[in-house]
């Protein structure tokens, strides 16, 4: 995060001088201290983000490729003189556990021309499509598999969560009795 703050400072200044670089280091340090204290960032969080970066880049490449393919497909449909759209609402469930991956999938579907995520509740998606051919494989397709792999890698590296303390459970039970 510190490097991102420093790079932002340099980009916004538009040139490189020793003075700008020194002020940038101070700015980045102050911004990073603020983020650490009030936003939960730390070197440990930064390291986890850096470890996820290759997977995120691969997913971004897949997303851009699918957006281009969908653009070409939708443009071809529209340019056909005898094209008759068959709009559909499709419901499906996806086995994603983390909310950030669910939202990434919903946004990826919406960014792809011809489809839009209408509703997302837990693992249940409702998607509107311009044509039936555009929703084939959404539930287990090119977007879902990389996200499932990212979750699997993250789960393998995540530490075990401690068991709930018995005293806390007893306190909950007592509150329900009164």
């Amino acid at each position: 995060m510190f490097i991102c703050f420093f790079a932002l400072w340099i980009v916004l200044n538009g040139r490189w001088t020793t003075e700008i670089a020194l002020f940038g280091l101070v700015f980045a340090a102050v911004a990073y201290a603020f983020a650490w204290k009030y936003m939960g960032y730390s070197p440990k969080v930064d390291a986890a983000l850096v470890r996820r970066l290759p997977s995120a880049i691969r997913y971004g490449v897949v997303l851009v490729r699918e957006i281009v393919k969908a653009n070409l497909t939708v443009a071809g449909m529209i340019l056909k003189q005898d094209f008759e759209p068959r709009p559909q609402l499709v419901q499906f469930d996806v086995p994603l556990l983390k909310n950030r991956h669910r939202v990434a999938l919903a946004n990826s579907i919406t960014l792809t021309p011809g489809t839009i995520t209408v509703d997302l509740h837990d693992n249940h998606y409702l998607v509107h499509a311009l044509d039936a051919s555009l929703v084939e494989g959404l539930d287990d397709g090119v977007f879902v598999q990389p996200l499932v792999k990212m979750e699997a890698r993250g789960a393998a590296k995540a530490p075990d969560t401690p068991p709930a303390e018995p005293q806390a459970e007893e306190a909950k039970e007592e509150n329900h009795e009164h």
Side-chain angles (χ1 to χ4, degrees), residues 20-162:
I20 288 173
L22 290 174
F23 276 109
L25 290 172
V26 172
F27 164 77
V30 169
Y32 189 72
F34 177 83
W36 189 336
K37 181 166 175 108
Y38 296 107
M39 299 173 68
Y41 281 95
S42 68
K44 187 176 181 179
V45 171
D46 287 347
L49 291 173
V50 168
R51 280 193 310 271
R52 286 190 223 136
L53 191 60
S55 296
I57 290 171
R58 281 192 298 274
Y59 187 77
V61 168
V62 168
L63 177 61
V64 169
R65 185 181 66 225
E66 291 302 312
I67 289 172
V68 169
K69 283 172 42 179
N71 268 307
L72 295 173
T73 302
V74 171
M77 288 176 175
I78 293 170
L79 293 174
K80 285 183 184 176
Q81 289 183 359
D82 61 341
F83 173 65
E84 191 66 37
R86 294 176 296 155
Q88 289 191 348
L89 281 174
V90 178
Q91 298 182 35
F92 59 91
D93 293 316
V94 176
L96 295 172
L97 304 174
K98 294 184 179 175
N99 208 28
R100 70 173 176 253
H101 294 136
R102 293 175 188 153
V103 171
L105 175 61
N107 287 341
S108 298
I109 291 169
T110 299
L111 284 171
T112 307
T115 57
I116 185 166
T117 304
V118 177
D119 188 36
L120 167 61
H121 184 71
D122 294 329
N123 285 341
H124 188 74
Y125 291 78
L126 178 63
V127 175
H128 179 271
L130 177 66
D131 192 69
S133 64
L134 298 173
V135 291
E136 294 171 8
L138 275 183
D139 57 343
D140 192 28
V142 70
F143 293 135
V144 176
Q145 294 306 318
L147 292 171
V148 168
K149 286 179 185 176
M150 280 191 247
E151 280 192 348
R153 275 189 226 118
K157 294 179 183 177
D160 293 335
T161 56

